Amino acid sequence: MSIVWTDTVKEIAGIKLHFTRGGSGPAVLVLHHDIGTVERLPFYDALAERFDVLIPHHPGWGRSERPQWLRHPRDIAAIYAWLLSDLNEPCVSLVGLGFGGWIAAEMASLAPAGYRNLVLVGAAGIKPPDGNIADQAIVSYIDYPRSGFHDEAAFTRVYGDVSTDQLEAWDIAREMSFRTAWKPYMYSQTLPHLLGGIRAPALVIWSDDDRIVPLSAGQAYARALHDATFTTIPDCGHFAEMEKPDAVAKLVTDFLSCG
């Protein structure tokens, strides 16, 4: 089935926020990684076969304008709650990827009964009990995304010969990551205490070779959430929805279809 995707811009919090929408069915908000998002990922198409999928560009990333006041993922969470209100989408499922998982967790913690389901894939946002979240400041713009793949061929399949435009986009994404998640880097000191209030059923997905956010963070998320299922994907890196789109899409689709 060929999915028709529509690009939309809405004025939210004083900026032009870009999002893409496709498919039909229950609404699902998909929140992308700290490196931004590739357009028309197979993972997005797979979800849109069963759901009405909304994929915003985080404010300051991609085609969305930057709010100069933005300083924390919780600010982005508030912007997305505003967006959903304007779209009259009162009962959405959240799917957060990496940094986007942190934003999704913030959204759910701020409205404990406000979302249908919560899916976290390699989510940042809490301090790993064992190991540390990889610091992208000490590697190159291309080495950080590459480290998020278990298989080099998967990185090449997604990004090919990396263009200058892509390097520039990663540069901007890195700046926004530092602006919103620098001290402490990529985790919140308060979020872990709020996760237990979330009443949405949660699925926590982690890759067995996630070199960006350690597996222990996923286990900590699963313990902290009120109703969580934890599962791992073998032979896969941090950017699981790009490296193994079919496997991640099946896990997410099966979970959301039961909710």
Side-chain angles (χ1 to χ4, degrees):
M1 181 173 69
S2 179
I3 304 298
V4 177
W5 293 94
T6 303
D7 293 328
T8 303
V9 176
K10 283 194 70 70
E11 186 89 12
I12 302 286
I15 62 142
K16 292 181 173 63
L17 187 74
H18 174 95
F19 68 94
T20 301
R21 190 169 194 169
S24 61
V28 177
L29 181 71
V30 181
L31 303 179
H32 65 70
H33 287 280
D34 54 358
I35 62 170
T37 182
V38 176
E39 301 286 350
R40 310 298 187 260
L41 284 173
F43 172 70
Y44 298 155
D45 284 334
L47 288 188
E49 290 179 5
R50 296 282 296 276
F51 305 103
D52 175 12
V53 180
L54 294 83
I55 309 164
H57 289 188
H58 300 331
W61 277 260
R63 284 182 267 174
S64 291
E65 289 183 341
R66 174 191 296 181
Q68 294 302 323
W69 52 265
L70 192 74
R71 288 297 181 272
H72 195 278
R74 198 166 292 172
D75 299 335
I76 305 176
I79 287 173
Y80 288 150
W82 183 343
L83 171 67
L84 293 175
S85 177
D86 278 7
L87 294 175
N88 194 27
E89 293 289 354
C91 195
V92 173
S93 292
L94 305 177
V95 176
L97 310 170
F99 178 72
W102 180 359
I103 300 167
E106 294 281 2
M107 292 178 71
S109 74
L110 292 168
Y115 299 98
R116 185 186 300 271
N117 297 284
L118 173 65
V119 179
L120 304 177
V121 185
I126 61 177
K127 191 178 190 305
D130 298 306
N132 296 291
I133 297 174
D135 185 353
Q136 59 183 296
I138 61 176
V139 296
S140 72
Y141 299 129
I142 194 170
D143 285 342
Y144 178 67
R146 185 181 281 126
S147 71
F149 289 82
H150 171 80
D151 183 358
E152 176 77 19
F155 173 83
T156 302
R157 183 182 71 245
V158 174
Y159 291 106
D161 294 327
V162 177
S163 67
T164 301
D165 286 346
Q166 181 62 75
L167 289 172
E168 182 180 358
W170 283 336
D171 184 10
I172 294 169
R174 174 177 292 194
E175 180 187 351
M176 289 305 303
S177 297
F178 296 160
R179 176 183 287 255
T180 56
W182 182 243
K183 289 184 177 181
Y185 177 67
M186 282 294 167
Y187 71 88
S188 165
Q189 294 171 310
T190 59
L191 178 60
H193 304 283
L194 301 173
L195 293 172
I198 296 170
R199 290 298 176 261
L203 174 64
V204 181
I205 302 172
W206 232 262
S207 300
D208 69 348
D209 187 30
D210 193 326
R211 289 171 282 171
I212 292 180
V213 183
L215 182 68
S216 68
Q219 295 165 335
Y221 261 117
R223 287 192 300 268
L225 289 161
H226 174 73
D227 178 12
T229 300
F230 181 77
T231 189
T232 58
I233 299 178
D235 303 322
C236 188
H238 180 67
F239 302 117
E241 83 293 341
M242 290 190 272
E243 184 159 11
K244 293 201 170 180
D246 294 341
V248 179
K250 185 178 189 316
L251 286 169
V252 174
T253 298
D254 290 349
F255 177 73
L256 297 184
S257 297
C258 292

